[in-house]
Amino acid sequence: SSPHLVQVRERIRINGQPISRELFSKYFWLVYNRLEETKDPAHASMPAYFRFLTIMAFHVFLQEKVDLAVVEVGIGGAYDCTNIIRSPVVCGVSSLGIDHTSILGDTMEKIAWQKGGIFKPGVPAFTVAQPERPLEVLRDRAQELKCPLYLCPDLDAFEGDHQTLELGLAGAHQRSNAALALQLARMWLQRRGCQGKTGGQGWGWWTPIWPLGSQQSACLHPGLGELMKAAPGTELVGRPVPLAPTFQPSDAMIQGLRETVWLGRTQVLPHGPVTWYLDGAHTTSSIQACVRWFRQAALNQDKPHDGSEVRVLLFNATGDRDTAALLKLLVPCHFDYAVFCPNFTEVSVANNADQQNFNVTLENALTRCLENQRTWTRLLEEKGGSDPWLSTPLQAGGLLQPAPARGTLLLVPPAPRPLNSPALVFPCLAQALRWVAQGRDPHLAAPTAMGAHPHPAASSGAVLLREAAAVRVLVTGSLHLVGGALRLLDPALSQ
């Protein structure tokens, strides 16, 4: 799966656990040296980061003799480097969203075409409810590639009169993911029943989106006959995508849905008076789902009787994403403070190699944070009907120099009139989290005296955060941001 949150080893899992440091080191150097020895002298370069890890993951799964490898594509599907398996057991496409538009295209239809690129001749594929046009594109791609495509019934259809399927992952949007997981798992089990046991050592994990198998079946895919009977005919053009039949989930499936854990997705970390709500949403559709979850998990709760509640948004976004559109969706949550910072855990990343990004400079990242601060202020003032308080573009270059008055907190320089939106920018995650927690989270040190800032929004906010009975913090906009926060909030993940 990608990206990783805290350590790169998370991307390659066996039986649900990241491979050990020893195994990672062993296979890394084995693959690296083999590629180094055999690379084309005329094009003497190694595979890029994601491609290398993909090659390494396949090698790990083969060497460790896993029974099943579950592989998540990186970006898109059609041209993704994971899309080299000629005969997977089954393919799945989860809910589509607008993302990576510079690579995949700027419409849902273009993105659906890319996602449908993982379909294979004769290999069953499943998808969940999609908008009409993107679903038609998936249907057309399936016909083009001679792939039988089926629509997953809603999870409700799997729940009997006396059976409610409990999900370990919070959020209503996880129900469609669970329905897809049930279909993919059942297809694998039926295929395995046809071929018998392979004698391997468990499961190779790479997020449950696109499972693949290593053997070619000589018989019709088990379960495919049942699907055909449920939806006669394989011609898909001109008719809706046929609905897959429902079935009774096994006890193991029910337990699996209930016990599924995936860090950084609708995750709640209660640390005393400060509760962190972590969700790596980074598209408009996933941010909408995040807001629905956050309202249910945090904002619907009763206000504390013994004092105030402070709500804080911690946000960053990367790549070519429309941050203004994402931030606009978060305004209705009525945050008292919005905090923006880069995905860097510390200003110096020398001791944090797993989370280092050589493609982004600190100055570029801070400039984007300042733009986000400006956007948030404008959105709040548009909502309140007042004029924007700042009209000139912001650059981070001049703000990176130390200044005694500024301390370690990075804020917009003095404005023509006082800042009436409590939006703050910090140079790194550690400083942002310390300011939010104000020494009340045992995992985080209190902000240093140097970190104090004379600006009213920062100093008054520090007082409110220290005195509030409850502080609820939503961390969202980037999985890398969530990963950096988890590294600081749950140090055990770095072990």
Side-chain angles (χ1 to χ4, degrees):
S1 62
S2 62
H4 61 273
L5 293 173
V6 177
Q7 298 192 73
V8 68
R9 296 183 296 110
E10 298 166 25
R11 295 174 182 244
I12 306 174
R13 298 169 179 258
I14 295 180
N15 293 332
Q17 296 301 314
I19 62 174
S20 67
R21 293 175 186 269
E22 292 73 23
L23 272 186
F24 187 92
S25 179
K26 168 188 169 181
Y27 287 121
F28 175 91
W29 288 113
L30 195 154
V31 173
Y32 183 93
N33 291 332
R34 186 69 57 84
L35 291 171
E36 182 71 33
E37 293 163 4
T38 58
K39 68 185 179 184
D40 183 355
H43 305 89
S45 63
M46 296 291 281
Y49 183 78
F50 185 83
R51 292 187 178 191
F52 181 91
L53 289 173
T54 301
I55 296 167
M56 181 178 160
F58 287 141
H59 185 74
V60 169
F61 295 156
L62 287 167
Q63 293 300 309
E64 295 297 310
K65 298 180 174 58
V66 300
D67 299 303
L68 166 65
V70 186
V71 177
E72 180 195 32
V73 300
I75 295 177
Y79 305 117
D80 192 82
C81 66
T82 59
N83 193 20
I84 62 170
I85 305 300
R86 294 189 180 96
S87 183
V89 172
V90 62
C91 298
V93 176
S94 57
S95 297
L96 298 173
I98 297 288
D99 199 13
H100 303 293
T101 53
S102 62
I103 299 172
L104 303 181
D106 56 0
T107 68
M108 291 276 277
E109 289 80 3
K110 292 176 182 177
I111 291 171
W113 188 93
Q114 295 279 355
K115 299 289 186 180
I118 68 171
F119 296 157
K120 300 292 182 292
V123 174
F126 296 88
T127 189
V128 296
Q130 311 280 8
E132 182 179 1
R133 277 297 300 139
L135 185 59
E136 290 174 356
V137 172
L138 288 176
R139 178 198 64 192
D140 295 344
R141 285 285 269 163
Q143 187 206 27
E144 170 196 345
L145 297 168
K146 297 181 173 56
C147 160
L149 175 66
Y150 300 92
L151 194 64
C152 294
D154 292 338
L155 194 63
D156 297 355
F158 295 91
E159 297 180 333
D161 295 336
H162 306 291
Q163 176 192 45
T164 299
L165 293 174
E166 182 185 344
L167 303 186
L169 297 178
H173 57 290
Q174 295 293 353
R175 292 182 66 81
S176 73
N177 291 334
L180 179 60
L182 285 175
Q183 295 286 359
L184 300 181
R186 188 185 194 220
M187 184 54 63
W188 160 256
L189 291 168
Q190 291 179 325
R191 169 84 176 269
R192 186 182 176 97
C194 172
Q195 292 188 287
K197 295 187 177 180
T198 59
Q201 295 182 6
W203 298 63
W205 282 91
W206 197 325
T207 302
I209 298 294
W210 175 26
L212 24 154
S214 57
Q215 298 116 12
Q216 174 68 35
S217 174
C219 62
L220 180 70
H221 285 274
L224 196 50
E226 180 185 344
L227 288 171
M228 294 298 189
K229 283 186 287 184
T234 56
E235 186 69 23
L236 297 179
V237 168
R239 61 191 300 275
V241 174
L243 198 65
T246 57
F247 55 88
Q248 174 66 42
S250 67
D251 291 343
M253 288 178 174
I254 294 169
Q255 179 184 356
L257 293 178
R258 184 175 63 246
E259 296 180 359
T260 295
V261 174
W262 200 252
L263 299 181
R265 277 76 167 178
T266 58
Q267 181 181 2
V268 181
L269 280 179
H271 287 185
V274 185
T275 304
W276 306 90
Y277 299 84
L278 308 163
D279 192 74
H282 50 270
T283 66
T284 52
S285 55
S286 59
I287 287 285
Q288 287 172 329
C290 172
V291 167
R292 288 193 295 269
W293 161 72
F294 181 66
R295 282 178 160 171
Q296 181 70 33
L299 306 191
N300 282 352
Q301 297 185 12
D302 294 334
K303 290 265 190 178
H305 297 295
D306 54 346
S308 64
E309 174 186 281
V310 178
R311 301 172 188 169
V312 181
L313 169 66
L314 178 56
F315 180 91
N316 192 40
T318 59
D320 54 6
R321 296 178 177 91
D322 183 353
T323 51
L326 302 183
L327 288 170
K328 187 173 184 178
L329 295 170
L330 291 160
V331 169
C333 289
H334 303 294
F335 292 104
D336 299 294
Y337 295 93
V339 175
F340 303 97
C341 71
N343 293 337
F344 301 115
T345 309
E346 305 279 357
V347 175
S348 169
V349 292
N351 298 320
N352 189 17
D354 276 14
Q355 293 178 315
Q356 194 163 350
N357 186 343
F358 293 98
N359 297 318
V360 179
T361 66
L362 177 60
E363 184 169 336
N364 289 342
L366 285 173
T367 297
R368 183 154 188 176
C369 290
L370 292 168
E371 292 169 352
N372 290 340
Q373 181 190 46
R374 170 186 169 87
T375 299
W376 183 257
T377 300
R378 175 177 55 79
L379 288 169
L380 291 189
E381 292 189 334
E382 284 176 355
K383 187 182 176 206
S386 56
D387 296 327
W389 69 277
L390 193 61
S391 58
T392 54
L394 302 170
Q395 295 295 327
L399 297 172
L400 291 175
Q401 303 303 318
R406 192 162 58 242
T408 58
L409 173 60
L410 182 70
L411 276 175
V412 174
R417 61 186 178 84
L419 178 66
N420 58 4
S421 167
L424 310 175
V425 175
F426 292 83
C428 68
L429 256 165
Q431 292 185 22
L433 294 180
R434 286 175 194 142
W435 181 82
V436 171
Q438 289 295 316
R440 305 181 72 190
D441 184 327
H443 294 94
L444 299 169
T448 61
M450 275 193 66
H453 195 281
H455 200 289
S459 56
S460 63
V463 173
L464 287 176
L465 289 164
R466 282 195 297 267
E467 295 180 353
V471 178
R472 306 195 190 280
V473 191
L474 175 62
V475 184
T476 193
S478 164
L479 276 167
H480 302 284
L481 178 78
V482 167
L486 274 172
R487 181 175 182 268
L488 295 167
L489 296 171
D490 189 353
L493 295 175
S494 300
Q495 302 305 313

